[in-house]
Structure formats: structure tokens, C-alpha cells
Amino acid sequence: KAGVTQTPRYLIKTRGQQVTLSCSPISGHRSVSWYQQTPGQGLQFLFEYFSETQRNKGNFPGRFSGRQFSNSRSEMNVSTLELGDSALYLCASSLGGRGGANVLTFGAGSRLTVL
Amino acid sequence: GQQLNQSPQSMFIQEGEDVSMNCTSSSIFNTWLWYKQDPGEGPVLLIALYKAGELTSNGRLTAQFGITRKDSFLNISASIPSDVGIYFCAGQLRSGTYKYIFGTGTRLKVLA
């Protein structure tokens, strides 16, 4: 079955702009989580959506937002981009339960560069 | 944000050597996952652990879920050049949220 698909893979924006990233989960997976990865900070949890509802949220400012559609596809948006937002943004999908029902499968990521 | 303590941060080893890395926390977990990430790609699942004390192997990789539920380790035997990459642990908290907390990563470099 198809894996987790993230688009776009690479993008360059300038400060003050906004960006929308997309994630298509594995078929049947209802949970989508988003992570920001930078060399100095590792994998930082942004938020998780399950059945179109935000179930968990990390400690990021309100400029970072997301949503999930009825087909489980998810988007995340970053408004008023700052230089520090340059990172690899990863999404991961899972069935959404506990233990074996919640193993995360990652996409290849969207690398955002803010100039 | 929350992160697990993962060590070592990086290591250089000779091809053929065994490698060991671990993750520790003050929190209790009900699931541990180990991932490998190659440059420019997303993490790929290596091993999943669901019970305290569980020891699971995947080829040359062996991982264990600590008895206290607060730690886990990963061993790689007879390392080869393609083992190069960053290894992450991830733990799902036993109570409350369903989210995973990730370790800070171990960067492995294998010298041929």
C-alpha cells in the first residue's frame, strides 16, 4: 500500500509570507501528527489530528496551525514566516489507538527554507 | 518541548563492531519505537516494543523495553557502512495523551 505522501518536498519562502504543507496518510489511518525537525532541536511535536479533530498540541505559537479533512488528509499552515521556521516538517500517520495500533509511519518531509 | 534523553549523541565506529544506544526518561511508557533516518528522508521504523522486558530483533538489530518502563536500548551487531544515519527512539506515554515523545537522536558513522 502507498506510504505517507508529503507535498511539496522543497520550498523557499521569504519572511512574512505564509506556507501550507500537505500530508496524505496511509489508507485507513485516522491519525496524522506533524513534527518540526531542526539540527539543534531534534524532532519537535507540533500537533496531532484524529478524525478531523485536534487531539494533541505541542508548544508552538499560534502561527502554526493545522486541519484534517474527512478523508484523513491533513494540512499545516505557518503564517508570518520567520527565519527560525526553516526546518524539515515531517508528518506521520497511524491508526490512532494505543500500542500496536499507533505505530507512526513517516513521510519523507517538506523542507522549508525561509529567506 | 518534551524529549527523551538519548545517548550517545554521536559515535564513530569501525565496520564490524557492535553498537549500543539507549533512551531514558522519568516518565512511564507503554510503547517504544526505534527509527532510523537517512539524510533528507523521513524516519523509518526499525523495531516496535509493547511490553516491559520485551526483547525484539530485526536482523542485526535488537531492542529491549526496560523493566521499569522508563527506558529502552537498541543494539546493532556487526555494523556495516549502510548503518550510517541518525537513530531515534520514541515513547508513547502510558497515561493521558496518545502522542509520542522523541529522543534527541544518535548520529552513527561507520568507518570502513
Tab-separated table of all heavy atoms in Angstrom, chain B residues 51 58 60 73 105:
chain	number	residue	atom	x	y	z
B	51	LYS	N	5.753	-4.323	25.482
B	51	LYS	CA	5.632	-4.825	26.852
B	51	LYS	C	6.947	-4.675	27.589
B	51	LYS	O	8.027	-4.893	27.028
B	51	LYS	CB	5.246	-6.306	26.835
B	51	LYS	CG	3.854	-6.568	26.294
B	51	LYS	CD	3.393	-7.986	26.590
B	51	LYS	CE	4.239	-9.017	25.892
B	51	LYS	NZ	3.647	-10.377	26.030
B	58	ASN	N	15.442	-7.587	14.788
B	58	ASN	CA	15.126	-7.367	13.376
B	58	ASN	C	16.457	-7.445	12.650
B	58	ASN	O	17.175	-6.463	12.531
B	58	ASN	CB	14.463	-6.002	13.195
B	58	ASN	CG	14.187	-5.699	11.735
B	58	ASN	OD1	14.344	-6.568	10.871
B	58	ASN	ND2	13.767	-4.485	11.452
B	60	ARG	N	20.124	-7.690	12.254
B	60	ARG	CA	21.248	-7.412	13.158
B	60	ARG	C	20.873	-6.462	14.287
B	60	ARG	O	21.716	-6.122	15.126
B	60	ARG	CB	22.400	-6.813	12.340
B	60	ARG	CG	23.013	-7.762	11.321
B	60	ARG	CD	24.125	-7.100	10.511
B	60	ARG	NE	23.610	-5.997	9.698
B	60	ARG	CZ	23.816	-4.728	9.977
B	60	ARG	NH1	24.514	-4.360	11.042
B	60	ARG	NH2	23.332	-3.791	9.174
B	73	PHE	N	16.750	0.243	24.994
B	73	PHE	CA	18.032	0.305	24.299
B	73	PHE	C	17.939	-0.384	22.945
B	73	PHE	O	17.066	-1.223	22.703
B	73	PHE	CB	19.162	-0.289	25.154
B	73	PHE	CG	19.144	-1.793	25.272
B	73	PHE	CD1	19.551	-2.602	24.217
B	73	PHE	CD2	18.735	-2.402	26.443
B	73	PHE	CE1	19.543	-3.973	24.326
B	73	PHE	CE2	18.732	-3.779	26.553
B	73	PHE	CZ	19.137	-4.571	25.506
B	105	GLY	N	18.238	11.754	19.375
B	105	GLY	CA	18.915	11.134	18.243
B	105	GLY	C	20.352	10.739	18.531
B	105	GLY	O	21.045	11.381	19.303
